[in-house]
Amino acid sequence: MFPFLHLPAEIRDQIYHDILSTDNARCPPVDDDEPASYKFDLAILHANKQIHHEAKKAFQDNVFIKITTPWPESIDHISSEGRVPIITTGHRAEHFESFHLWIWIDTPGVPLSGPVYSMLICLEDLPAFTRMWHFSNL
């Protein structure tokens, strides 16, 4: 087995960044009607405690934005109409804590005590999200 932990910390950090950055995890759309997607290879986080600690920092260097709304169709609307790549939704998005910005979109006529729907996007996709939301006919 390759002695990965014997590499200098700077080289390991660069490897973590290469594996876990949004730039490298972004997959182009399969066709023009679909948004791009993200595929993070998180297996390295399970190697051992030291690698988990070091690699987690590289993953958290990504700028994630959490979007929460009481509108149930928001995820499909943002992904299909806006063609905004969504990293994760549901339980994973609701419990994700390493986000840098939280956008709460209130919907008139929907009680605040009802269920909410969350999703994560990357900072790079925020302009596409805001453009889509601004021009939506909601």
Side-chain angles (χ1 to χ4, degrees), residues 19-27 37-43 59 62 64 87 122:
I19 294 172
L20 299 172
S21 75
T22 56
D23 292 338
N24 295 328
R26 189 177 178 108
C27 303
S37 62
Y38 290 92
K39 181 165 176 50
F40 291 96
D41 186 2
L42 302 177
F59 184 69
N62 295 309
F64 295 110
I87 296 171
C122 289

Side-chain angles (χ1 to χ4, degrees), residues 53-113:
H53 178 73
E54 293 173 356
K56 184 177 177 183
K57 169 71 173 94
F59 184 69
Q60 290 173 338
D61 284 345
N62 295 309
V63 180
F64 295 110
I65 298 169
K66 183 176 183 176
I67 302 170
T68 302
T69 179
W71 187 37
E73 294 85 10
S74 62
I75 296 169
D76 289 335
H77 180 72
I78 290 165
S79 180
S80 62
E81 183 178 322
R83 297 185 53 220
V84 177
I86 296 173
I87 296 171
T88 193
T89 61
H91 182 76
R92 287 183 177 172
E94 290 166 18
H95 294 285
F96 188 80
E97 296 178 357
S98 296
F99 57 89
H100 292 80
L101 175 67
W102 191 354
I103 299 172
W104 179 274
I105 301 172
D106 190 7
T107 305
V110 176
L112 293 176
S113 62

Side-chain angles (χ1 to χ4, degrees), residues 6 11 14 20-21 33 35 48 50-51 59 66 74 77 129:
H6 291 150
I11 294 176
Q14 184 60 49
L20 299 172
S21 75
D33 294 334
N48 66 40
Q50 180 178 347
I51 291 174
F59 184 69
K66 183 176 183 176
S74 62
H77 180 72
F129 168 77

